[in-house]
Amino acid sequence: MMATTHVLAGLVVASAVATVAPEFGPVALVAAAIGGALPDFDLYAGHRKTLHFPVYFPGAAALATPLALVVPTQATVGLAVFLLAAGLHSAMDALGGGLELKPWHATSEQAVFSHYHGSWIAPRRLVRYDGAPEDLLLAGVLAVPAYVAFGSPVEEGIVAILAVSAVYVVLRKPMVRFGEWLVERLPPSVVGRIPDAVVGDLVDGAGGDRPAGGD
Ligand SMILES: [Zn+2]
């Protein structure tokens, strides 16, 4: 799923907090946005493994949430919402597509890594791939609670997030094709200098050979 979908999923949690306890709305909003986005910062370093914890994040949230309910402070509420959003993100990735360059071909059995199990969780593909039309639909549905619960400028922010998501959905497949086209035409010496995490799949996808010493 798109990072924006994950952020909007986190904002659903923040919306619930803001509705029940408006004084914690702002901290919940910030914590949810950070928690929803954070796991995907491992995009170029062990994607869906390094910062994704589909068991540990929800487990920690299961401890932090009762604490925030019993001792509600800005810190405890913020921590609980952060962990809920990050846990939601990590767990939701199992419902999406695999890690392959073209996840719409559904060839990968790796959706998200469970450090608890020490293995990859297979993709359920309810959302076939990040940037799929159903991903945008899901983002639109998840955007509703925060749009209703928070006023301006959150409303404008949500519209902007959905606009960025829509552009991504349109460009998702052309971007991969362009990447392959570009890698095929770049001199091997140039491709060799680009980190494998950035172009490795593109080289494989384009049917080219990765020049030696490229790591
Ligand atoms: Zn993710």
Side-chain angles (χ1 to χ4, degrees):
M1 272 159 254
M2 297 182 285
T4 48
T5 307
H6 289 304
V7 168
L8 291 168
L11 292 192
V12 174
V13 179
S15 307
V17 173
T19 304
V20 177
E23 67 274 28
F24 294 116
V27 69
L29 183 73
V30 173
I34 295 172
L38 179 101
D40 278 348
F41 279 89
D42 66 13
L43 189 59
Y44 292 118
H47 187 34
R48 299 213 201 128
K49 181 174 183 181
T50 307
L51 294 177
H52 286 63
F53 301 96
V55 176
Y56 291 138
F57 270 145
L63 298 176
T65 303
L67 176 68
L69 291 171
V70 175
V71 189
T73 67
Q74 300 289 328
T76 56
V77 171
L79 179 66
V81 172
F82 166 82
L83 290 170
L84 283 167
L88 204 54
H89 176 142
S90 303
M92 277 170 68
D93 271 340
L95 304 178
L99 269 178
E100 63 271 55
L101 177 67
K102 299 174 182 175
W104 45 91
H105 289 158
T107 53
S108 170
E109 284 308 304
Q110 299 181 343
V112 62
F113 191 82
S114 168
H115 296 264
Y116 174 75
H117 297 96
S119 59
W120 288 90
I121 298 173
R124 303 292 194 281
R125 298 195 171 92
L126 296 180
V127 170
R128 291 166 300 154
Y129 58 93
D130 64 292
E134 64 268 28
D135 197 356
L136 184 61
L137 180 68
L138 178 62
V141 172
L142 292 172
V144 173
Y147 190 89
V148 173
F150 297 94
S152 181
V154 175
E155 282 175 10
E156 289 84 344
I158 287 172
V159 171
I161 287 173
L162 288 176
V164 168
S165 304
V167 171
Y168 182 78
V169 168
V170 171
L171 295 180
R172 178 66 173 90
K173 289 182 178 179
M175 275 193 304
V176 172
R177 283 198 292 272
F178 175 72
E180 288 179 339
W181 179 89
L182 193 65
V183 162
E184 276 183 330
R185 280 154 187 79
L186 284 174
S189 59
V190 174
V191 176
R193 290 173 192 277
I194 304 173
D196 208 28
V198 179
V199 295
D201 284 347
L202 289 173
V203 173
D204 297 340
D209 289 325
R210 178 102 178 117
D215 298 322

